[in-house]
Amino acid sequence: MLQTDRTSSSNEDGPAPIWKLVLVSAIASGVQFGWALQLSLLTPYVQLLGIPHTWSAYIWLCGPVSGMLVQPIVGYYSDRCTAAFGRRRPFILGGACCVAMAVVLIGFAADIGHAIGDDLAKKLRPRAITVFIIGFWVLDVANNMLQGPCRAFLADLCAGDTNLMILLMSITLVAISLVEEKRLTPEEIEDDGSSGGVPFFGQIFGAFMGLSRPMVLLLVVTCLNWIAWFPFLLFDTDWMGKEVYGGVPNQGTAYDSGVHAGSLGLMLNSIVLALTSLVVELTIRGIGGVKVLWGLVNFILAIGFGMMIVVTKIAASQRQFGPDGDALIPSPEVRAGALAIFAILGIPLAVTFSIPFALASIFSAGSKAGQGLSLGVLNISICIPQIIISMTSGPVDQAFGNGGNLPMFVIGMFSAALSGVLAIVLLPKPKTSAKLTLAPSGHH
């Protein structure tokens, strides 16, 4: 059996120094820039390029598709890579290079589309949309290439913006240059009996078939949790532009102002998320355990969705329009309430980005799968909810919300509450002897 701790430097060379953990974790900051680019701008930008809101959600399908395929495959082969450069680092470097390329395609999609024939006088710009979607797919694949090995690397040790490209590549090069990992020899790789075929598919099937009851329960709770999160993550800035600021894409300035305000909200969300991440482990000790904390923050998420609905109704009741028919900026109270929701939701998001992956490492410790493959399996329970939301949000919003976002927020509210209840009632308590490693994460 390929033991997950065989490659851990803590077992052979003593505990990994803190500076190594910091460097490897810092790679996640570059990954999060890639996610932030998608989460803040995708839905508004594709509408500006001419795709209606009802259809914009389908573009998000590239995320779960790439996540379901790329992370488990990369995780499997990074568990067994025998390259002299290391097991995880080749995948991390390759993913970083692909992110840099994707940022160029996304950032200059409109310019490239115009250069190859788009008419700027028309609302629909098919060539720019094509370039944007290609860049979005590349970015999603690259982020998944980076994210899985980064998580596994940290677990091993523990037991259109040029600045973005420079930051990601700099952090990546420093981390993979200074933090060494044990080279895996062919003799250390488990013989899974699939020689001559593609071993990954047998391994991933075996990983599902051999899941323990705690791991199955974790996958169920994680799935419900992300059914709740994706309506917010996919449509947060669009909600600010439409429901809070009362704007319409490509009409006036209200929608753009709302999207900018939503981006500010995401910045506040990230700040709170970062601060919360520093105290998650301390909070676990004082609140009664991991599953209690995860359940409580899911209730906070459900309350957050409820407050978004309240803010929407208040904004609509107070809305005023200028002489040109464009909605005026909402009152300071409405704007403050909306930004406060963004900030508060950084608390449950910090827990969501850490606890499930730590629990997966603990619950799968006795299985045959390595850290990379186990985390890839967990990622599937994140991808499936995104497929569900991407396929249903457009028709649901069109049917019940006249192209708005509130119906999916209601679904998110109930899903978050159910996830919280199940986390507290069903999830087993991890063994006290197991070390809880809070690994960096993202949403695919």
Side-chain angles (χ1 to χ4, degrees), residues 37-60:
L37 181 66
Q38 293 177 317
L39 298 177
S40 61
L41 296 179
L42 172 64
T43 301
Y45 190 39
V46 294
Q47 292 180 84
L48 294 177
L49 293 177
I51 297 180
H53 181 271
T54 304
W55 294 96
S56 63
Y58 291 110
I59 299 178
W60 284 99

Side-chain angles (χ1 to χ4, degrees), residues 115-310:
I116 58 179
D118 271 347
D119 186 353
L120 297 181
K122 295 182 178 179
K123 180 179 179 181
L124 184 64
R125 303 174 187 175
R127 295 169 181 82
I129 293 172
T130 301
V131 173
F132 178 85
I133 293 176
I134 292 173
F136 188 74
W137 271 84
V138 173
L139 180 61
D140 232 296
V141 170
N143 275 338
N144 280 290
M145 278 185 65
L146 274 166
Q147 191 162 257
C150 281
R151 293 173 184 160
F153 198 1
L154 190 62
D156 292 340
L157 293 172
C158 295
D161 185 351
T162 306
N163 291 330
L164 162 62
M165 289 184 288
I166 293 174
L167 173 64
L168 176 60
M169 295 303 296
S170 299
I171 292 175
T172 299
L173 291 174
V174 171
I176 64 178
S177 298
L178 297 182
V179 182
E180 297 182 358
E181 58 174 332
K182 179 183 178 292
R183 179 181 176 184
L184 192 66
T185 63
E187 291 75 19
E188 293 179 292
I189 301 177
E190 176 192 6
D191 183 7
D192 57 13
S194 58
S195 57
V198 181
F200 159 74
F201 295 103
Q203 284 283 337
I204 197 70
F205 179 76
F208 275 110
M209 294 300 294
L211 289 176
S212 62
R213 183 176 182 274
M215 192 66 184
V216 171
L217 294 175
L218 176 63
L219 295 181
V220 172
V221 175
T222 301
C223 187
L224 285 170
N225 188 203
W226 282 99
I227 288 178
W229 270 116
F230 277 119
F232 173 77
L233 295 175
L234 271 59
F235 305 116
D236 44 19
T237 55
D238 187 63
W239 169 70
M240 285 290 281
K242 286 183 177 176
E243 277 86 357
V244 178
Y245 276 67
V248 178
N250 288 317
Q251 294 183 22
T253 61
Y255 182 78
D256 291 343
S257 298
V259 171
H260 293 158
S263 298
L264 174 61
L266 288 176
M267 184 190 74
L268 298 175
N269 178 277
S270 298
I271 292 173
V272 174
L273 187 156
L275 295 175
T276 304
S277 299
L278 298 176
V279 298
V280 167
E281 193 164 2
L282 293 175
T283 306
I284 291 171
R285 299 171 186 171
I287 208 169
V290 175
K291 66 175 190 174
V292 175
L293 175 61
W294 197 14
L296 291 179
V297 298
N298 276 312
F299 296 143
I300 294 176
L301 174 59
I303 294 172
F305 276 121
M307 293 307 300
M308 292 176 79
I309 297 172
V310 171

